[in-house]
Structures are given as C-alpha cells and as structure tokens.
Amino acid sequence: MAKTQDMVYVIDEDESVRRAFERLLRSANLDPKPFSSAEKFLNSIIKDETGCIIMDLRMPGLTGFDLQKKIASLGIRMPVIVISASDDTQTRDRARELGAVAFFRKPVDDQALLDAIWWALRGAEKKARVDR
C-alpha cells in the first residue's frame, strides 16, 4: 500500500476533475498536488521525484504531449499517467512514445486509476533505489 508521503501531481484545467481526483487520492492515503495548467506545474518546485504525475492531454497553453516532452527534457523521471477524453490508437501510441506508463479514457474507473498509481509509485521507488 502507498505511504502518506507519496505525492501525486494532478494536472488538469478542469477544476471539478482536479477536486474529484484530490478526494480520490486522499481517500487512498496519497498526497495530491493539483495544478490547473502545465505551465503552473513547470513553475512549481518539484520536491519528490518518487511521486507520479496524472495529466490531461487537452489543456490550454502547453498540451499534455508538450508537457511530456518538457518533463523528459528536464530530466524529471516520475512516471506519467495520461487521462484524456480522446481515446484513439494514435493518441494512446503518442502518449506511450512520450513515456506514459498508463493511459485512461475519461471518465476513469477509480480503482483502475489507483491500481495504476500504486504500480507506478512502486516502480519509481525501485528505480530510485537502484539509481543510488
């Protein structure tokens, strides 16, 4: 089970989606940190690279694809889970090419999302121990 300090960055322009994810994550003993845009996320100080990122693809300004590219170029190695209303093979393939560890279509099943987050966090923790 995830520890309380496991940070999950939620990046979605829709406030109701961010609030719903925050409630879900807190109920699972995870620590959500919401952002309304990719730019706000990038301007924040990221303290825990063992966390994970949940992001929408369609956002004003930088898109989720743009953010995935920027995260990679900055050397941020947190796992990324993409959630989008666009669910076609090309979109899924592009998200995975850019490093997404999971892809969900909105609306997302809560338990499936939590399972993906826990899986991603465990993988990130293992990788951090190996890299030290």
Side-chain angles (χ1 to χ4, degrees), residues 15-45:
E15 184 179 350
S16 63
V17 171
R18 287 192 313 273
R19 278 196 316 254
F21 284 149
E22 283 181 85
R23 283 191 302 273
L24 174 67
L25 295 168
R26 282 193 184 103
S27 75
N29 204 29
L30 294 163
D31 190 9
K33 181 128 174 114
F35 295 92
S36 60
S37 71
E39 292 85 356
K40 287 182 180 178
F41 170 76
L42 291 170
N43 289 329
S44 72
I45 297 173

Side-chain angles (χ1 to χ4, degrees), residues 53-95:
I53 299 167
I54 298 173
M55 73 168 71
D56 191 6
L57 286 180
R58 292 187 180 170
M59 295 183 281
L62 289 177
T63 67
F65 289 147
D66 296 332
L67 180 55
Q68 282 185 275
K69 291 176 195 173
K70 187 68 174 170
I71 287 169
S73 74
L74 292 172
I76 298 170
R77 299 182 311 167
M78 283 184 281
V80 173
I81 296 172
V82 171
I83 299 172
S84 179
S86 300
D87 185 18
D88 57 68
T89 303
Q90 183 178 4
T91 302
R92 283 177 176 266
D93 289 349
R94 183 69 178 139

